[in-house]
Structure formats: structure tokens, C-alpha cells
């Protein structure tokens, strides 16, 4: 039986959920934004550190930003504008302002080192960046290697009134989290968004097939590249998720916890767009690693929705005070970004009385391709069912569609699948088939009920707390050290099933090197989650006859 011609998932669709979406309601993301702000004008849209902006305020401030881009910076339609900041109120204002001006949003991980920032900006050729002052010293270091000429700097407390002054003082003077920087010319975010009504915003006609976001990813190979996500792609996913979750949400009444970073495609589409469209109040968590403060914030709200990854849910459950949160209104707990452990899901249900639902997708699919049905009685331990207007197929290396329970590559087709990779036709052709299937690089199976499960990864990608780590990059950094002769990198799981980076090293003969030195060296060039947790010194890195590192041999060695 052919999975695709049968579409077994449709028979298990929740009652009231349509098998297809349509675009009758909105013509672009900008159209959606404007209609949503008008509909929920006086409602709270985003809250951070106890300070809230209404939909009307978000609209006004983002419009001022759009006017600045058009009239002061004279940015032409399609120009890229980079955002580098954590979850603060400036993020959604920036996102909507960029889109409203007819520009393209380029999200940047705020944990990036100068090297990683440089690599991405060179690739995107962005001339404009909005950056938190904590990271301004990084752009100062590398700006001469890029085409960036417009820098907008903001601070964590800039839009928070009197409370913001205290937050900035603590970050700058007490915690010393704002390194000194010297940038000759830059703009201040608050001045731009508060006063720019001397110009009219030029009406930009955004088409559905225009690129809205450059979402950087290692894809399935590890080479830096950006998925070009169009207004159609992102809007499709908003409508798909909205259709799937809709029966369990209430327009203008929901409170959504946004702990995942907004630069990540999961939080971007789910929180700042889909729940925004529902008229929900998104509670932005700036530092979810600070679990004590995170739980303290959770206790202030009768939240109805929370999203996260397995490691985040697990850390919350380990906090003794988490059980004292008010879960009486919680209707949806959504996990993605990595596989969810059954024991974590079971404990979550025990504590919150809410079933943890799993979503599956990638940056290239905007991201959601499948989600568990909401409101079921227990954790499914699967990737859920394909969303409306989405097909999932299990294929072999020759593109043959496999039967139920046969392992093969998970392939996705639907309106949320990216336009392609930015300026990278070769990589686009590697993952896109002529008939529109996106090859995920994940190996999985589908059962007769239409539920998909991952059984392995086709590539050597490592997933640390929901973030992709690619061995090639870690090895390349390690090899820059003149004491290291060769390096090989794999992912290893700890007793809780979480994946960590392990680096195998063979030293240059006669050189002395220890684990601490290696890790300290990696810290100079890599974001925290990419830094090896384990280092093992061996005489020689196993390689093929053409010199390719045999990571499977390293995995065998690690497993004894």
C-alpha cells in the first residue's frame, strides 16, 4: 500500500480540523499583522519583565521602525536586516517593522561568537543590524569584514521604564555583562520607534512568494546556509498550526509562555506569529536557563500554552517549586526541536495534568510538518500526524515511496516548504526533488495510522538541547589549534538520554595538551551548546581510504 495515495493520517484527524488550509483571509504576513493588531487593539500582545505592550502599541512602534528603514536609511525592498538579541520586547517590534518596510528578516543567534557572526553576515550580505548592547563588541570586531553600514543598538531595559533603568544598571555595572565597545556611528532603538511620524510609510506590496525570512541552518550537511522562507511559507504554517490548535484556544484570551528564543524557527512561527494571530499575550522569557527566575515568572500567570524542548521541560520538572505553578488553565504543552523522552512526558503529565504534545519539522519547513493531536489522554511517543495541506512520505535513496513500517528518509511536501537555500542552488538541489519533496535527512517509519517516528539520523548531526551541532564545524575549530593533529566529533548520550558533544583528538607529536586546554580553546570560537563536553585523546582518528573521518568507528569506540 502506498502511504501517500492512502494518506492514512486523515482518518485520525481530530474532529473539526480541516485537511486543507486556504489563503482567503490574508494576502501576506504584513496583512495578517495589520488585521490582527486592529482586531485585538487594546489587548496585551507581549509581556517582558512585567511590562506589556498592547497590539496597538506594537503596531505603532513597528510602523515607526518601518518608516525609519524606508526614509532615513533608504533601504530598498528585499534588503536584509539582521536581528541579534534574546527574547525582549524589541524583538517582535523589529520583526514586524522589517516586514512592514518590505525587507527580509535575518535572525541571528545571540550566543554567537564573533567568528560565527562574521560568517553569517558575510553570507547574507546584510547592511543593517539591530543588536543588543551586550553583543555590540562582537560587531565592532568584525564589521570591517562585512557590508554592514547601519547599526541599531538597544539595551535589555530600554523599553521597560523605571524598571529598565535598574535592569540596565545591574547588567552593566554589577554583572558586567555589557563589554565595552567603540562604534563611531549607531542609532538608538528607542529613539527610532518613539518618534518617526514625520514621514509616511511607503505602502509596500508584499507578494506571497516574496522572501520574508532568512533562517540560517546547517540543513542536513552542516554547511552554513539560509532557508529562504516566503510570506506563503510562514503564513501557511501559521494557518496550519492555527487550524490544528484552534479548537483548544480562545481568541484574545490565551496566555502563551515563550521560553524558546525568537530567533529559533519554532518560537518565531509558533509564538510571535501564530499565537499573536490568536490575540494571545506572549510572555517573553529572556533567560530560560535561569530556572529559578523562570519558575517565579510562571507562577505569576494562569498560562494556557507553553512550548519548549525536552531538556527545558526536564529542567522545569527538576525544580521543586515548579509543581506549585497554577496549571488549571493549561490546555496545550508543545514540544519540538528534538525527540522527547517518554519518562519526561509522563512526569510532565503527572505534575501539570496536561499531555505533552510533540511537533516535528525543520527550519526548511517553517517549521511544523506534523503535530500530535491535542487533547488526547496520553503521550503518543511519535511525531504526530501531518498538518493540513501537508504530506509526509518515507522514501528510499532512489526516491521510491516505501510502505508502512519500512524505515527510510522522511520527506515532506506542502506550502510551508522553503523556496530554497539563499544563493545556494547546489544545496537546494540536494534536498529538493523535482516533484516538490523536501528530504529531511532523518530516517523514520510511518505506521498504518499515519503516525511517524524517527529511528535514526541520516547524517552525523548532533542535537544539543534542540539545537543542531555539526561535527565538521567542531573539528575545523579544533584543528586550528597548533597542538592538535587530527580531530573527530560525535554525539554521545548521557544517562537521561540528552545528547552532548564529544571530541576525539590526536595530538601533534611532542606537544602537551590536556582536556581543559581543548575546551578553553573551543570556548573562544564556539557558542556554548557547541563546546565539547567530553574530550578523548587517541593515537589516530579512524579514516576511510580517501581520508574521510569514520565517525561510525568513533561511535563504536565510545560504546566499547
Amino acid at each position: 500500500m502506498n502511504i501517500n495515495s492512502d494518506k492514512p493520517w486523515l482518518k485520525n484527524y481530530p474532529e473539526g480540523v480541516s485537511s486543507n488550509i486556504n489563503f482567503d483571509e490574508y494576502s501576506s504576513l504584513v496583512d495578517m499583522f495589520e488585521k490582527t493588531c486592529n482586531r485585538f487593539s487594546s489587548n496585551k500582545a507581549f509581556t517582558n519583565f512585567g511590562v506589556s505592550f498592547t497590539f496597538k502599541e506594537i503596531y505603532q512602534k513597528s510602523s515607526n521602525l518601518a518608516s525609519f528603514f524606508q526614509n532615513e536609511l533608504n533601504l530598498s525592498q528585499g534588503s536584509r536586516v539582521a536581528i541579534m538579541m534574546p527574547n525582549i520586547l524589541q524583538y517582535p517590534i523589529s520583526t514586524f517593522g522589517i516586514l512592514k518596510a518590505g525587507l527580509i528578516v535575518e535572525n541571528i543567534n545571540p550566543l554567537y561568537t564573533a567568528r560565527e557572526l562574521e560568517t553569517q553576515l558575510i553570507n547574507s550580505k546584510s547592511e543593517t543590524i539591530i543588536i543588543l548592547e551586550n553583543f555590540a563588541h562582537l560587531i565592532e570586531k568584525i564589521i570591517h569584514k562585512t557590508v554592514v553600514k547601519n547599526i541599531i543598538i538597544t539595551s535589555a531595559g530600554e523599553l521597560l521604564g523605571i524598571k529598565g533603568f535598574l535592569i540596565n544598571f545591574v547588567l552593566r555595572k554589577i554583572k558586567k555583562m555589557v563589554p565595552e565597545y567603540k562604534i563611531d556611528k549607531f542609532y538608538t532603538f528607542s529613539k527610532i520607534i518613539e518618534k518617526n511620524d514625520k514621514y509616511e510609510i511607503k505602502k509596500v506590496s508584499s507578494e506571497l512568494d516574496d522572501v520574508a525570512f532568512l533562517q540560517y541552518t546547517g540543513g542536513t550537511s552542516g554547511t552554513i546556509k539560509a532557508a529562504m522562507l516566503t510570506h506563503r511559507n510562514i503564513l501557511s504554517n501559521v494557518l496550519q498550526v492555527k487550524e490544528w490548535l484552534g479548537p483548544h484556544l480562545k481568541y484574545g484570551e490565551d496566555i502563551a509562555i515563550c521560553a524558546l528564543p525568537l530567533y529559533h524557527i519554532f518560537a518565531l512561527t509558533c509564538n510571535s506569529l501564530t499565537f499573536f494571530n490568536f490575540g494571545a499575550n506572549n510572555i517573553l522569557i529572556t533567560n530560560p536557563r535561569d530556572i529559578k527566575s523562570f519558575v517565579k515568572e510562571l507562577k505569576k500567570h494562569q498560562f494556557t500554552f507553553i512550548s519548549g524542548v525536552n531538556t527545558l521541560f526536564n529542567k522545569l520538572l527538576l525544580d521543586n517549586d515548579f509543581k506549585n505553578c497554577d496549571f488549571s488553565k493549561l490546555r496545550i504543552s508543545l514540544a519540538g526541536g528534538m525527540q522527547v523522552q517518554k519518562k519526561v512526558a509522563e512526569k510532565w503529565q503527572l505534575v501539570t495534568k496536561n499531555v505533552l504534545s510533540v511537533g516535528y519539522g525543520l527550519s526548511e519547513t517553517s517549521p511544523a510538518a506534523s503535530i500530535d493531536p491535542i487533547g488526547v489522554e496520553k503521550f503518543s511517543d511519535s511525531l504526530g500526524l501531518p498538518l493540513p495541506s501537508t504530506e509526509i512520505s518515507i522514501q528510499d535513496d532512489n526516491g521510491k515511496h516505501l510502505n508502512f513500517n519500512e524505515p527510510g528518509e522522511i520527506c515532506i511536501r506542502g506550502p510551508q516548504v522553503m523556496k530554497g537555500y539563499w544563493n545556494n542552488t547546489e544545496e537546494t538541489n540536494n534536498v529538493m526533488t523535482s516533484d516538490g519533496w523536501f528530504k529531511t535527512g532523518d530516517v523514520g517509519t510511518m505506521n498504518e495510522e499515519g503516525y511517524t517516528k524517527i529511528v535514526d539520523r541520516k547524517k552525523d548531526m548532533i542535537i544539543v538541547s534542540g539545537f543542531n551541532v555539526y561535527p565538521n564545524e567542531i573539528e575545523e575549530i579544533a584543528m586550528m589549534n597548533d597542538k592538535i593533529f587530527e580531530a573527530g566529533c560525535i554525539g554521545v548520550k548521557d544517562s537521561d538520554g540528552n545528547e552532548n558533544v564529544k571530541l576525539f583528538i590526536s595530538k601533534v607529536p611532542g606537544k602537551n595538551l590536556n582536556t581543559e586546554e581543548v575546551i578553553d580553546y573551543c570556548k573562544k570560537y564556539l557558542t556554548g551548546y557547541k563546546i565539547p563536553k567530553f574530550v578523548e585523546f587517541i593515537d589516530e582518528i579512524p579514516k576511510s581510504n580517501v581520508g574521510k573521518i569514520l565517525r561510525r568507528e568513533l561511535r563504536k569506540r565510545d560504546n566499547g
Side-chain angles (χ1 to χ4, degrees):
M1 183 180 291
N2 185 289
I3 291 174
N4 256 74
S5 60
D6 191 49
K7 295 185 180 179
W9 53 85
L10 294 180
K11 66 185 178 186
N12 290 308
Y13 259 35
E15 186 178 348
V17 174
S18 173
S19 61
N20 287 292
I21 58 168
N22 63 68
F23 289 90
D24 292 346
E25 195 173 358
Y26 306 114
S27 61
S28 70
L29 286 170
V30 176
D31 185 38
M32 183 203 79
F33 167 67
E34 292 181 342
K35 288 177 178 175
T36 301
C37 287
N38 183 58
R39 179 177 181 180
F40 302 106
S41 179
S42 60
N43 288 26
K44 292 178 181 178
F46 293 94
T47 298
N48 184 227
F49 291 112
V51 175
S52 300
F53 283 163
T54 64
F55 284 82
K56 182 178 180 180
E57 288 173 317
I58 292 290
Y59 179 85
Q60 290 172 335
K61 295 178 190 303
S62 61
S63 295
N64 286 340
L65 182 60
S67 175
F68 175 79
F69 289 142
Q70 291 180 340
N71 298 295
E72 295 284 351
L73 299 185
N74 295 310
L75 299 183
S76 57
Q77 187 169 357
S79 295
R80 279 75 61 205
V81 178
I83 305 175
M84 188 175 183
M85 63 180 83
N87 288 6
I88 53 179
L89 293 168
Q90 293 88 317
Y91 214 121
I93 293 169
S94 298
T95 300
F96 294 130
I98 294 167
L99 293 175
K100 193 164 185 179
L103 310 171
I104 297 172
V105 178
E106 177 195 351
N107 290 306
I108 297 181
N109 185 341
L111 298 179
Y112 268 179
T113 63
R115 183 194 66 85
E116 293 164 317
L117 175 60
E118 174 191 332
T119 300
Q120 182 166 323
L121 288 175
I122 288 174
N123 184 269
S124 68
K125 293 183 172 59
S126 289
E127 296 181 353
T128 306
I129 185 169
I130 307 172
I131 190 167
L132 190 72
E133 63 176 1
N134 303 50
F135 318 122
H137 67 290
L138 299 176
I139 193 72
E140 178 194 354
K141 289 179 183 177
I142 57 92
I143 189 171
H144 63 285
K145 299 180 183 178
T146 72
V147 294
V148 172
K149 59 184 180 182
N150 307 309
I151 300 175
I152 301 168
I153 296 179
T154 190
S155 64
E158 191 171 6
L159 304 184
L160 303 178
I162 295 175
K163 183 183 291 187
F165 286 107
L166 179 60
I167 289 172
N168 284 342
F169 178 80
V170 171
L171 291 176
R172 292 166 181 169
K173 303 298 183 182
I174 298 176
K175 294 189 176 182
K176 309 289 186 184
M177 293 178 67
V178 183
E180 288 186 13
Y181 61 89
K182 186 179 179 182
I183 298 174
D184 293 333
K185 182 186 177 184
F186 64 88
Y187 303 93
T188 302
F189 190 86
S190 58
K191 291 181 180 177
I192 294 170
I193 64 165
E194 292 300 340
K195 204 170 186 181
N196 232 335
D197 52 7
K198 61 180 177 179
Y199 302 110
E200 281 190 25
I201 297 178
K202 301 164 189 169
K203 188 72 175 176
V204 176
S205 178
S206 295
E207 303 293 333
L208 282 172
D209 291 325
D210 288 344
V211 177
F213 292 88
L214 283 189
Q215 198 67 24
Y216 275 82
T217 172
T220 55
S221 68
T223 306
I224 183 172
K225 49 189 172 288
M228 293 187 290
L229 302 178
T230 65
H231 285 258
R232 184 189 303 276
N233 295 150
I234 297 290
L235 189 55
S236 294
N237 216 219
V238 169
L239 295 174
Q240 289 165 327
V241 175
K242 185 177 172 183
E243 178 69 22
W244 198 257
L245 303 183
H248 302 273
L249 295 171
K250 298 177 181 179
Y251 279 101
E253 297 182 24
D254 281 286
I255 297 175
I257 303 298
C258 183
L260 292 177
L262 287 170
Y263 73 82
H264 193 285
I265 189 66
F266 185 0
L268 170 69
T269 301
C270 188
N271 286 87
S272 69
L273 293 172
T274 304
F275 271 84
F276 178 86
N277 188 231
F278 269 110
N281 180 11
N282 270 289
I283 311 299
L284 301 180
I285 307 299
T286 305
N287 182 16
R289 294 182 178 185
D290 182 353
I291 294 295
K292 293 295 181 187
S293 296
F294 184 7
V295 172
K296 187 177 179 181
E297 183 66 27
L298 286 176
K299 291 173 75 174
K300 297 176 183 177
H301 307 281
Q302 288 185 312
F303 54 96
T304 58
F305 171 84
I306 185 169
S307 58
V309 294
N310 183 80
T311 48
L312 180 66
F313 291 123
N314 196 28
K315 285 177 181 176
L316 286 172
L317 291 167
L318 291 173
D319 184 89
N320 291 328
D321 206 24
F322 177 65
K323 64 180 181 294
N324 297 320
C325 293
D326 185 349
F327 304 113
S328 61
K329 299 291 179 67
L330 180 60
R331 295 191 295 274
I332 302 175
S333 305
L334 186 60
M338 62 188 298
Q339 286 184 283
V340 174
Q341 295 170 279
K342 192 173 182 180
K343 68 176 184 178
V344 172
E346 290 173 345
K347 188 176 180 183
W348 181 268
Q349 185 173 355
L350 183 68
V351 172
T352 69
K353 306 297 186 255
N354 187 250
V355 176
L356 193 57
S357 302
V358 175
Y360 170 72
L362 305 93
S363 295
E364 291 89 343
T365 58
S366 303
S370 64
I371 300 179
D372 278 324
I374 308 299
V376 294
E377 293 184 359
K378 65 177 183 177
F379 176 63
S380 75
D381 197 20
S382 78
L383 303 178
L385 300 172
L387 291 175
S389 299
T390 304
E391 299 172 275
I392 290 181
S393 172
I394 309 299
Q395 302 181 18
D396 66 13
D397 290 341
N398 297 316
K400 177 187 174 184
H401 294 252
L402 302 176
N403 294 321
F404 297 119
N405 302 309
E406 283 190 82
E409 185 167 11
I410 299 172
C411 298
I412 300 166
R413 186 164 66 181
Q416 72 271 51
V417 173
M418 66 172 183
K419 189 174 187 176
Y421 290 122
W422 169 257
N423 289 337
N424 201 329
T425 304
E426 182 180 354
E427 285 290 347
T428 300
N429 292 337
N430 285 339
V431 298
M432 295 297 301
T433 68
S434 58
D435 51 351
W437 290 100
F438 168 68
K439 300 188 288 185
T440 67
D442 289 323
V443 176
T445 59
M446 180 181 286
N447 66 17
E448 290 84 353
E449 300 302 310
Y451 286 88
T452 307
K453 280 189 98 167
I454 287 181
V455 296
D456 200 354
R457 282 197 296 277
K458 196 170 184 180
K459 303 294 181 180
D460 292 313
M461 182 177 71
I462 305 163
I463 297 183
V464 179
S465 298
F467 295 99
N468 297 351
V469 178
Y470 296 91
N472 285 340
E473 182 182 20
I474 314 302
E475 291 160 1
E476 182 180 347
I477 292 299
M479 293 287 286
M480 286 164 52
N481 189 312
D482 59 10
K483 294 182 180 180
I484 295 175
F485 180 61
E486 289 177 332
C489 181
I490 62 170
V492 295
K493 290 188 176 180
D494 59 23
S495 57
D496 291 325
N498 299 317
E499 205 163 16
N500 297 288
V501 177
K502 180 169 183 178
L503 186 63
F504 290 86
I505 284 172
S506 66
K507 295 182 285 189
V508 172
K511 297 285 187 179
N512 292 319
L513 189 66
N514 59 39
T515 298
E516 187 176 353
E517 284 180 76
V518 173
I519 292 176
D520 285 345
Y521 183 81
C522 290
K523 284 180 179 178
K524 295 179 183 178
Y525 303 100
L526 295 168
T527 300
Y529 62 82
K530 298 180 184 178
I531 296 168
K533 188 169 184 179
F534 306 104
V535 176
E536 182 174 336
F537 294 90
I538 58 179
D539 292 332
E540 185 178 354
I541 303 295
K543 296 181 290 297
S544 69
N545 58 359
V546 294
K548 185 177 180 181
I549 294 173
L550 297 176
R551 297 195 182 97
R552 64 178 180 273
E553 297 299 325
L554 292 175
R555 283 190 280 270
K556 285 181 186 176
R557 179 188 178 95
D558 190 70
N559 294 328

